[in-house]
Amino acid sequence: CIRDRVRICTILSVIFVLIYTQTCPEQIETLRELYNATSGPSWLNNQGWDPIDTCTNIYGLRCYFNTQRFCSEVISLSLPNNNLVGTIPPSIGNLARLYILN
């Protein structure tokens, strides 16, 4: 029945979106630490940073979905001229796939 196929496709689509938008937990924690250590509330653009719970729709952040871990990892962090004040925390090293830091 076509109606059953549509339901199955809808359910699978929702599951895919939920999995695809899941960000690796250590990535989220590191991003929170960065935000707090560099006066995130005072940034010129902090869209999506507070609260941060996924890797989607966050200013200056690009992620990719790691199919082996089934979660997203940060690959690019670009916040130039955004009024960051403070010290980048050592936990930035937890962003193992980060290849652009600007």
Side-chain angles (χ1 to χ4, degrees), residues 9-53:
C9 287
T10 301
I11 290 168
L12 290 175
S13 295
V14 168
I15 290 170
F16 176 77
V17 167
L18 290 173
I19 291 173
Y20 185 76
T21 59
Q22 178 66 35
T23 304
C24 301
E26 76 283 357
Q27 305 274 308
I28 292 295
E29 186 58 33
T30 296
L31 294 171
R32 285 183 183 141
E33 289 176 16
L34 174 69
Y35 181 81
N36 291 327
T38 58
S39 301
S42 298
W43 293 356
L44 298 177
N45 187 340
N46 59 10
Q47 177 187 342
W49 282 88
D50 188 27
I52 186 170
D53 55 4

Side-chain angles (χ1 to χ4, degrees), residues 71-93:
C71 58
S72 293
E73 295 181 307
V74 177
I75 58 172
S76 174
L77 182 56
S78 184
L79 300 165
N81 305 314
N82 202 31
N83 200 36
L84 277 70
V85 176
T87 304
I88 294 176
S91 61
I92 198 84

